[in-house]
Amino acid sequence: MKNISLAIDGPASSGKSTVAKLLAKEFQFIYTDTGAMYRSLTYLAITHHVTFDDEAGLVDLIKKYPISFKQTEEGQLVFVDGKDVTDAIRQPEVTNAVSEVSAHAKVREEMVALQQTIAENGGVVMDGRDIGTAVLPNAEVKIFLVASVTERAERRYKENLEKGIATDFETLKKEIQQRDYIDSTREVSPLTQADDAVRIDTTGMSIDKVVDAIHQIIKEKGYL
Ligand code: CDP
Ligand code: CDP
């Protein structure tokens, strides 16, 4: 496998991180979950009492508390401020505020610069909302995953159940729609498909099928 960059974007629960992790493992590439970076910043804002509208305060937090990832047998762990925040950044308090935090232009500028540094030597699978459009506009392979909102809410509902978290399905669906709306309508690098990205509608598709479809795309482009 050539040392390429793979950009995977799409709305909440479209399957980005699951598929990105599998591909990174197979190709022995670096996997970067950029959503976890925005979630970690939101977690920092909550714990350090910085309000979500305080752009300068949020930028200070990024500079003061570097976010790091650690690859383990059980999966990727996220660390910030000396703590393992892997589970904390998935809590509803963070999920419901992350789109507001990530809409600030200066916050995105800092995050995009960090993400570009991670990817500078290629050999990376990066997932998020603006990877193909803003972070890695020259990525060799760009994938845009979508699925119906009902299926995406069902996936998240099941995932929560497996973790022992009981959620109301309709509330979950509304929260996903709300987050997609903010992410797609913000002024700076909104969630949108890059012109040269391949769109895959994963509604009704298993994870294996999605991975197969991406393999096919990489093959067709001559990288596999
Ligand atoms: O996994 P899930 O789809 O719930 O979201 P995520 O990938 O963890 O991203 C959480 C939030 O971070 C998104 O709803 C966006 O507001 C923001 N985000 C972003 O603005 N740009 C990215 N490249 C990645 C995430
Ligand atoms: O990263 P993103 O928010 O786009 O989605 P994810 O965290 O990869 O996937 C959300 C949930 O949907 C996980 O529990 C996946 O196992 C599941 N999933 C699925 O059932 N079928 C797919 N084709 C993709 C993901």
Side-chain angles (χ1 to χ4, degrees):
M1 178 68 176
K2 300 197 176 94
N3 225 24
I4 62 165
S5 296
L6 241 124
I8 304 186
D9 290 301
S13 263
S14 52
K16 301 179 295 297
S17 60
T18 306
V19 166
K21 276 180 207 161
L22 289 169
L23 291 167
K25 195 170 177 194
E26 178 188 343
F27 301 143
Q28 294 186 308
F29 278 8
I30 299 168
Y31 164 58
T32 307
D33 175 355
T34 63
M37 296 171 74
Y38 290 98
R39 285 175 177 273
S40 297
L41 174 61
T42 307
Y43 168 85
L44 282 172
I46 294 168
T47 49
H48 290 268
H49 309 290
V50 171
T51 55
F52 304 137
D53 61 352
D54 179 1
E55 186 170 29
L58 292 167
V59 168
D60 282 346
L61 287 175
I62 300 175
K63 292 186 171 161
K64 208 163 162 194
Y65 301 103
I67 298 157
S68 61
F69 295 103
K70 192 176 163 192
Q71 218 50 61
T72 70
E73 285 295 306
E74 290 83 47
Q76 191 173 67
L77 303 180
V78 189
F79 289 85
V80 76
D81 198 7
K83 281 191 220 94
D84 177 352
V85 296
T86 314
D87 293 331
I89 62 170
R90 307 277 158 204
Q91 297 304 312
E93 204 185 357
V94 170
T95 303
N96 294 331
V98 64
S99 290
E100 186 180 347
V101 167
S102 61
H104 295 292
K106 291 207 164 67
V107 164
R108 302 204 70 80
E109 216 175 275
E110 294 293 328
M111 289 296 196
V112 168
L114 288 171
Q115 292 153 5
Q116 288 175 335
T117 305
I118 295 172
E120 65 190 353
N121 297 321
V124 68
V125 184
M126 197 168 268
D127 83 332
R129 302 292 187 287
D130 61 341
I131 311 306
T133 52
V135 182
L136 305 176
N138 298 322
E140 285 83 353
V141 178
K142 297 182 185 178
I143 307 290
F144 196 80
L145 297 181
V146 295
S148 74
V149 68
T150 302
E151 177 149 338
R152 291 186 289 123
E154 276 165 7
R155 291 176 185 174
R156 209 32 77 87
Y157 181 82
K158 269 194 210 147
E159 195 177 58
N160 284 350
L161 266 190
E162 281 159 19
K163 288 187 201 154
I165 308 166
T167 31
D168 175 62
F169 179 75
E170 287 306 322
T171 308
L172 200 61
K173 195 167 159 183
K174 277 201 194 98
E175 283 168 359
I176 286 180
Q177 280 171 315
Q178 173 69 6
R179 200 146 55 90
D180 286 351
Y181 177 76
I182 304 175
D183 292 345
S184 311
T185 56
R186 70 177 172 226
E187 256 173 61
V188 191
S189 50
L191 165 66
T192 171
Q193 183 179 340
D195 292 340
D196 52 349
V198 181
R199 187 183 189 91
I200 305 176
D201 185 345
T202 71
T203 310
M205 266 172 103
S206 68
I207 293 162
D208 286 352
K209 280 258 160 62
V210 180
V211 171
D212 284 350
I214 298 177
H215 272 162
Q216 200 50 41
I217 293 161
I218 301 174
K219 251 188 217 153
E220 278 164 17
K221 288 182 180 284
Y223 296 112
L224 198 68

